[in-house]
Structures are given as structure tokens and as C-alpha cells.
Amino acid sequence: MKTELTAFLLEILDCGSAMEEKRELSGDIQTSLMLIEQELGAPADWEGIARAVHLSDSRFRQKFKEQLGVPPQEYLWRRRVDAARELVAETEDPFTQISRKLGFETASYFTRVFKRYTGMTPTQCREERRKP
């Protein structure tokens, strides 16, 4: 799972970087990513995360976007969908259970967000993975 998270973070950096060179993440942003990952299914407390890494809320959001190329909330949605894609493909858990585990308000909202980011519904994703 850690290698998949690393690959996901590198993909975000590649997509979001305006410059050709890769930048290293600062310690405070790395810490914020760990905090987000630990509470992936919980409602985001951006002010709390900013305090935990000793930044103001506005500076945290600015620095996060500078280093990852996306705002914190966008990162969180992408990360939740990435985790959902793994659960949909690797388990037989009902979609309502997966959606609750990852902090989506309803299963229908989960389906809409999942499709927006992946181009397919959770059902289509699960069926795709089952094909030989």
C-alpha cells in the first residue's frame, strides 16, 4: 500500500508541477500528508492540520498547493478515490460500506465522485478487475 501511495503522490507532483523539475516535499507538508492518510475517512480539519505543522491555515493551503500542485481538498478527494478504487477492485465489500469507510456522505455521492475521477462507476471498476 505504501508503494501505491508513493506512486500516487508522484503522479500528483507530475500532473501539478508547472516546472519540469521535481521538487521535494518539505517536512511540514510530508507530515500533513501522513495526518491526512491516518484520518482518510474522517472529515478534513484543515485548520487542525495547519496547527499541527505549525503553519497558519492560509499559509498551509498555499504551501500545500505549491508543493503538490493541487489544493488540500482536491488532494483528499483524489486520495479517497484512489483508496476506494483499491477496495472496489480487491474486495467484495458493498459500496455503501466502502463509501462510509472513506468519509462519503452517501453511496450515491460516492458513485458520482468516483466516476468523476476515474471515468467509471464502482460497479464498472469491479467488473473490469474481474475480467481475465
Side-chain angles (χ1 to χ4, degrees):
M1 176 116 171
K2 286 185 181 182
T3 57
E4 291 169 352
L5 176 60
T6 302
F8 177 72
L9 291 173
L10 289 173
E11 180 180 319
I12 287 176
L13 286 171
D14 287 340
C15 291
S17 178
M19 300 189 303
E20 303 241 344
E21 63 197 53
K22 289 197 190 259
R23 294 179 265 175
E24 289 193 30
L25 299 177
S26 62
D28 48 9
I29 297 302
Q30 287 179 18
T31 300
S32 72
L33 292 175
M34 288 189 306
L35 293 171
I36 292 167
E37 190 66 28
Q38 289 171 357
E39 300 294 328
L40 195 58
D45 176 13
W46 300 121
E47 290 178 4
I49 291 173
R51 276 192 309 274
V53 296
H54 309 289
L55 295 171
S56 70
D57 183 49
S58 61
R59 179 62 184 134
F60 163 71
R61 290 172 189 272
Q62 177 187 28
K63 195 170 183 180
F64 193 100
K65 186 170 182 180
E66 286 172 0
Q67 292 188 27
L68 289 166
V70 294
Q73 188 63 49
E74 177 71 17
Y75 170 84
L76 178 61
W77 287 125
R78 290 181 184 190
R79 183 61 196 106
R80 284 179 175 172
V81 169
D82 188 53
R85 189 179 340 186
E86 290 177 30
L87 291 171
V88 165
E90 297 172 7
T91 72
E92 293 299 321
D93 294 347
F95 299 141
T96 54
Q97 181 180 343
I98 293 171
S99 68
R100 267 188 265 120
K101 180 178 183 176
L102 294 172
F104 291 92
E105 294 175 18
T106 65
S108 62
Y109 183 62
F110 163 67
T111 299
R112 283 195 311 270
V113 173
F114 190 94
K115 186 169 184 174
R116 181 182 338 141
Y117 285 95
T118 66
M120 64 179 94
T121 66
T123 302
Q124 291 168 327
C125 181
R126 188 167 276 170
E127 289 170 356
E128 181 84 15
R129 295 293 180 126
R130 288 183 181 160
K131 291 180 182 175

